[in-house]
Amino acid sequence: MTESLEEQGRRIADSTGDGPRDRTDAGLMSRRKFAAVGGSTLAWASCTAARTEVEATDSDAPSRRGHMLMVIDLRRCTGCHSCAVACKAEHGVRLGGFRSWVSEQEIGSYPDVTREFLPRLCNQCQNSPCLKVCPTGATSRRADGIIKVDPDRCIGCRHCMAACPYNARYFNPQRDLGGEQRRFPARTHGTVDKCDFCSRRVDAGQEPACVATCPASARAFGDAQDPASEVARMLVREPAITLLPNLGTRPSVVYIGGRPEAFERG
């Protein structure tokens, strides 16, 4: 039987000795109320091995299984856009395309107005609309949950872009010439691209570029099925929410802190 979120939290706490904080703390109580606004959004936390879609074989994927997860602490994010710059530098993303970006919104009414920052990227959904609509199998899920796009199989139909509720994919329309082609030999044209949690870095035992670069340490990345990982510990300590939980996509990017208004527009 699938564990509830509370049951898994207790199990992880028992195995790590890092249990939830006192629920009588006023700040934590307000955050738990905040989490309730998002609904029951962490169904992935049951850590079940079942998959609703067929996982494609990926020769670059590590032999271990798991569930790679990113946690973004909105209380720490300053909106500096270092994550977006690091992503572009790491992958040679063309002008006009973004694997990672930061949305900004003004929340409230004068004189009580604040600016909220919302880091965005592919949510690596467990129930992935993009995977279901790809006609060529170019979109596939690795054993560790990371979703990749094979440029050799992508025909640029952009069905996946239409299916993604998070606008996390972009199309490469132009061809590289001369110096650009030599600098970015793997960069393609006429295909769709997106964040893949810097899978090459992950396979080499490194963090994604955005996580390693964030000056405020607002991001954490790791295997949610490993009780000793930082992300598993964070989810025990803090309530977390996802974007557009009502869609049932079960994202692998979760947020803690912040205000509900920043999430309502997806």
Side-chain angles (χ1 to χ4, degrees):
M1 181 177 295
T2 300
E3 291 179 300
S4 67
L5 181 59
E6 290 75 16
E7 288 171 341
Q8 193 203 12
R10 287 195 295 270
R11 176 174 61 77
I12 295 177
D14 290 342
S15 63
T16 63
D18 189 7
R21 295 173 182 171
D22 186 357
R23 297 194 182 194
T24 61
D25 178 76
L28 183 55
M29 283 295 290
S30 64
R31 292 197 300 273
R32 291 195 180 281
K33 184 177 180 181
F34 166 47
V37 175
S40 179
T41 63
L42 297 178
W44 55 263
S46 61
C47 296
T48 177
R51 292 290 184 270
T52 56
E53 300 96 6
V54 177
E55 295 173 344
T57 300
D58 189 332
S59 58
D60 295 328
S63 57
R64 62 174 173 79
R65 299 177 68 90
H67 185 168
M68 305 312 293
L69 184 84
M70 185 175 292
V71 179
I72 301 177
D73 189 341
L74 297 178
R75 299 166 300 184
R76 289 178 171 268
C77 179
T78 63
C80 69
H81 297 267
S82 293
C83 50
V85 174
C87 179
K88 276 184 170 286
E90 178 73 22
H91 301 284
V93 179
R94 291 185 177 92
L95 291 175
F98 290 91
R99 283 175 167 230
S100 176
W101 71 101
V102 180
S103 297
E104 300 183 21
Q105 298 183 37
E106 288 188 355
I107 306 297
S109 302
Y110 178 84
D112 183 19
V113 179
T114 60
R115 179 168 288 275
E116 298 286 337
F117 303 106
L118 185 64
R120 305 288 298 276
L121 65 163
C122 173
N123 281 249
Q124 314 293 339
C125 304
Q126 289 189 84
N127 184 23
S128 312
C130 59
L131 192 152
K132 296 176 180 179
V133 301
C134 180
T136 65
T139 295
S140 63
R141 178 183 291 107
R142 302 188 345 164
D144 57 5
I146 296 176
I147 296 176
K148 298 188 65 176
V149 178
D150 183 348
D152 293 329
R153 303 184 70 174
C154 179
I155 58 175
C157 67
R158 288 172 266 192
H159 289 348
C160 57
M161 293 177 62
C164 177
Y166 305 104
N167 297 317
R169 292 177 171 236
Y170 67 96
F171 182 71
N172 286 321
Q174 67 261 47
R175 184 191 299 272
D176 288 332
L177 300 174
E180 282 192 338
Q181 189 174 34
R182 290 190 295 272
R183 186 177 179 185
F184 304 111
R187 197 159 66 176
T188 62
H189 74 281
T191 62
V192 173
D193 205 354
K194 71 172 192 68
C195 164
D196 62 358
F197 276 167
C198 288
S199 58
R200 289 177 297 179
R201 292 174 60 94
V202 172
D203 294 346
Q206 299 175 312
E207 295 178 319
C210 60
V211 177
T213 303
C214 181
S217 299
R219 298 185 182 219
F221 179 80
D223 186 352
Q225 295 185 359
D226 178 6
S229 69
E230 182 181 2
V231 293
R233 290 174 177 268
M234 291 178 71
L235 293 177
V236 169
R237 296 193 303 262
E238 305 284 357
I241 65 174
T242 61
L243 294 178
L244 304 178
N246 57 301
L247 298 182
T249 56
R250 296 187 293 159
S252 296
V253 174
V254 302
Y255 299 87
I256 59 176
R259 297 173 60 174
E261 294 92 334
F263 296 88
E264 290 177 353
R265 298 178 183 85

